[in-house]
């Protein structure tokens, strides 16, 4: 339908058809890449697309078993991959970009205290009621900004994951980079006093964690003090944007 508007003795015809709404910034995936394209040597084991994770089911927003990252983070990760390949390893990716609906799924799960399906695998010594208090679950995640990745190393000589002395997404001090050693110096101390049940890791397992950590730090990532597998690009391009588009091939 057209509307005629009288201006200074003349008519201007203005369309009343609705204008298409512009996409919101958090819905825009144009600055992201599919990680298997950007880092072709990386192995993908996207835990939140499957059921072997601390929730025990596929997480909302994971529509395909793939990983996405911002272009800048993917470029830096490619450099890490090229680095560790010279040492006989490949990167193995557990998670990268995580849509906000996936984080919301974690929050709902954490509030459902009776649901302890995967407790024996990921948090056997932890009461689920403390997950928010002890900051294992957040309402916002760096993953949702698109430049954070969870990963480990795959040993090409043994064709197995490198033994890190603990599983991805283990809720406990055993996952901290400083467990049994000093990550700043790479020194193994054997100090397992933080473990509530006296768990420990060996000097070799600690050294394996340090190989991954040092490679990531060399190429522009920063570590998290509670998870040996978690790294964020220091100069992340979207530090204040929490994206909502789903995880699927771009």
């Amino acid at each position: 339908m057209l509307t005629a508007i009288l201006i200074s003795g003349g008519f201007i015809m203005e369309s009343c058809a609705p204008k298409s709404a512009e996409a919101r910034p958090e819905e825009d995936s144009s600055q992201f890449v599919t990680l298997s394209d950007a880092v072709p040597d990386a192995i993908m084991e996207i835990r939140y697309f499957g059921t072997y994770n601390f929730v025990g089911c596929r997480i909302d927003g994971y529509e395909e078993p793939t990983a996405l990252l911002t272009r800048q983070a993917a470029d830096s990760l490619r450099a890490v991959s090229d680095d560790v390949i010279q040492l006989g390893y490949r990167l193995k990716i557990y998670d990268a970009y995580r849509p906000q609906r996936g984080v919301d799924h974690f929050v709902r799960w954490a509030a459902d205290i009776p649901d302890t399906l995967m407790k024996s695998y990921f948090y056997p010594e932890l009461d689920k009621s403390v997950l928010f208090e002890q900051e294992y679950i957040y309402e916002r995640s760096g993953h949702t900004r698109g430049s954070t990745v969870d990963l480990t190393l795959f040993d090409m000589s043994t064709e197995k994951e490198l033994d890190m002395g603990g599983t991805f997404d283990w809720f406990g001090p055993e996952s901290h980079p400083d467990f049994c050693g000093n990550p700043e110096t790479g020194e193994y101390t054997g100090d397992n006093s933080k473990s509530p049940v006296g768990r420990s890791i060996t000097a070799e397992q600690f050294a394996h964690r340090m190989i991954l950590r040092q490679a990531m730090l060399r190429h522009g990532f920063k570590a998290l003090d509670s998870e040996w597998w978690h790294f964020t690009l220091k100069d992340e391009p979207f530090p204040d944007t929490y994206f909502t588009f789903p995880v699927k091939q771009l």
Side-chain angles (χ1 to χ4, degrees):
M1 181 174 67
L2 297 177
T3 300
I5 303 175
L6 179 62
I7 298 180
S8 301
F11 287 94
I12 297 177
M13 305 304 293
E14 180 180 56
S15 172
C16 290
K19 297 180 180 179
S20 59
E22 293 184 3
R24 295 182 297 175
E26 63 269 23
E27 298 172 346
D28 182 8
S29 63
S30 64
Q31 298 305 306
F32 284 68
V33 296
T34 300
L35 197 51
S36 56
D37 294 335
V39 191
D41 293 310
I43 299 167
M44 302 293 153
E45 186 181 321
I46 309 305
R47 291 286 185 88
Y48 301 138
F49 180 78
T51 60
Y52 183 57
N53 57 60
F54 61 84
V55 176
C57 66
R58 183 180 298 175
I59 303 305
D60 291 353
Y62 286 77
E63 297 183 0
E64 294 179 1
T66 191
L68 310 177
L69 275 181
T70 61
R71 297 177 187 277
Q72 294 89 334
D75 287 345
S76 293
L77 197 64
R78 174 61 184 265
V80 176
S81 178
D82 292 344
D83 194 342
V84 300
I85 282 176
Q86 300 303 312
L87 303 175
Y89 307 119
R90 292 172 66 183
L91 300 180
K92 187 172 187 177
I93 311 299
Y94 294 129
D95 192 34
Y97 161 68
R98 182 184 307 157
Q100 183 60 43
R101 75 186 82 171
V103 177
D104 295 343
H105 191 164
F106 290 168
V107 170
R108 293 194 306 272
W109 167 82
D112 184 6
I113 303 301
D115 181 0
T116 55
L117 176 65
M118 304 299 285
K119 180 178 174 65
S120 62
Y121 298 98
F122 296 101
Y123 54 105
E125 282 89 49
L126 200 66
D127 189 306
K128 190 178 177 184
S129 64
V130 304
L131 292 181
F132 289 112
E133 174 189 336
Q134 296 190 16
E135 299 183 337
Y136 289 104
I137 301 294
Y138 294 84
E139 293 185 352
R140 293 283 195 179
S141 170
H143 282 274
T144 309
R145 301 193 300 264
S147 295
T148 293
V149 61
D150 293 336
L151 75 173
T152 190
L153 294 173
F154 181 88
D155 189 334
M156 291 189 286
S157 63
T158 64
E159 298 185 349
K160 296 179 180 179
E161 286 184 20
L162 204 57
D163 183 1
M164 299 293 191
T167 186
F168 163 66
D169 262 354
W170 177 271
F171 292 174
E174 298 88 352
S175 293
H176 296 186
D178 65 356
F179 183 63
C180 289
N182 183 340
E184 302 305 318
T185 64
E187 177 190 8
Y188 176 74
T189 63
D191 180 9
N192 67 341
S193 59
K194 291 183 178 181
S195 175
V197 293
R199 296 181 189 273
S200 188
I201 62 172
T202 67
E204 183 179 40
Q205 290 165 337
F206 181 79
H208 291 167
R209 294 184 180 190
M210 293 302 102
I211 294 171
L212 174 63
R213 178 187 179 92
Q214 290 162 10
M216 295 296 286
L217 268 55
R218 276 196 299 272
H219 296 286
F221 289 88
K222 59 184 178 181
L224 184 68
D225 62 9
S226 58
E227 298 173 351
W228 58 259
W229 56 80
H230 176 116
F231 297 89
T232 299
L233 190 68
K234 284 182 182 178
D235 297 323
E236 58 181 311
F238 303 106
D240 302 310
T241 304
Y242 293 84
F243 292 91
T244 60
F245 59 86
V247 174
K248 62 181 180 180
Q249 292 286 116
L250 295 177

